[in-house]
Amino acid sequence: MKSRTSPAPKGKSPSQEIDAIIKGIDDWRGEKLSLLRALIRKADPGLVEEVKWKKPSKPEGVSVWSHDGIICIGEALKNAVRLTFPNGAQLKDPRKLFNARLDSKSVRAIDIQENESINDVALKNLVREAASLNRTRANSV
């Protein structure tokens, strides 16, 4: 079950919109978000790229990766790049990637600073687990 998205402006696909979002971040955060996007896409070839939550204060919207529901959301913050997992509290995180939103009963996030690297294998495992959780929920409805 694919999530619905609003049509992309001027015929751009959601992937092209995410390309534009990344290109519009002209410092290390754009490079880091691009790297994270590549890892997320490698983790689950069946995922769907979307752009959501367009509003006057953020007309380009927010990068979202879904597979039977949202897996994670990618954003450039002032001093970090954040990957937010809406159902992160239900995911196993043995490598302790989650370092933000830890007080939430459902959401978990990973904030990556400028000179930080991320464990590629652990991130891919989180993405796969989130997709598996979404599939389980979709099949139980």
Side-chain angles (χ1 to χ4, degrees):
M1 172 182 171
K2 289 187 178 179
S3 299
R4 293 182 310 194
T5 61
S6 54
K10 300 177 188 165
K12 286 186 178 180
S13 71
S15 292
Q16 290 170 324
E17 287 186 272
I18 293 174
D19 289 341
I21 290 170
I22 290 170
K23 191 176 245 182
I25 307 167
D26 61 354
D27 60 15
W28 67 269
R29 296 170 304 150
E31 294 171 24
K32 190 72 76 174
L33 186 55
S34 179
L35 171 74
L36 295 168
R37 176 192 191 193
L39 292 172
I40 291 164
R41 291 172 66 166
K42 284 180 188 172
D44 182 1
L47 65 76
V48 176
E49 291 194 305
E50 302 176 274
V51 175
K52 294 183 175 266
W53 306 298
K54 293 180 183 183
K55 54 188 178 182
S57 62
K58 196 166 187 83
E60 70 278 10
V62 179
S63 305
V64 177
W65 294 277
S66 300
H67 191 152
D68 293 322
I70 295 174
I71 293 173
C72 67
I73 301 156
E75 299 179 87
L77 306 178
K78 186 175 180 181
N79 295 314
V81 173
R82 175 174 283 177
L83 292 179
T84 303
F85 289 74
N87 298 307
Q90 296 176 43
L91 303 177
K92 295 178 190 116
D93 182 23
R95 299 287 183 198
K96 306 286 187 223
L97 294 183
F98 292 131
N99 60 9
R101 307 283 311 267
L102 300 175
D103 56 341
S104 171
K105 292 184 180 183
S106 59
V107 176
R108 293 288 182 272
I110 305 167
D111 285 357
I112 301 110
Q113 307 297 322
E114 182 171 3
N115 295 316
E116 272 185 293
S117 60
I118 190 153
N119 182 322
D120 298 7
V121 172
L123 178 61
K124 288 178 188 176
N125 287 339
L126 276 178
V127 169
R128 288 183 193 114
E129 189 178 348
S132 178
L133 177 64
N134 286 351
R135 278 192 301 277
T136 301
R137 286 180 169 182
N139 290 334
S140 66
V141 175

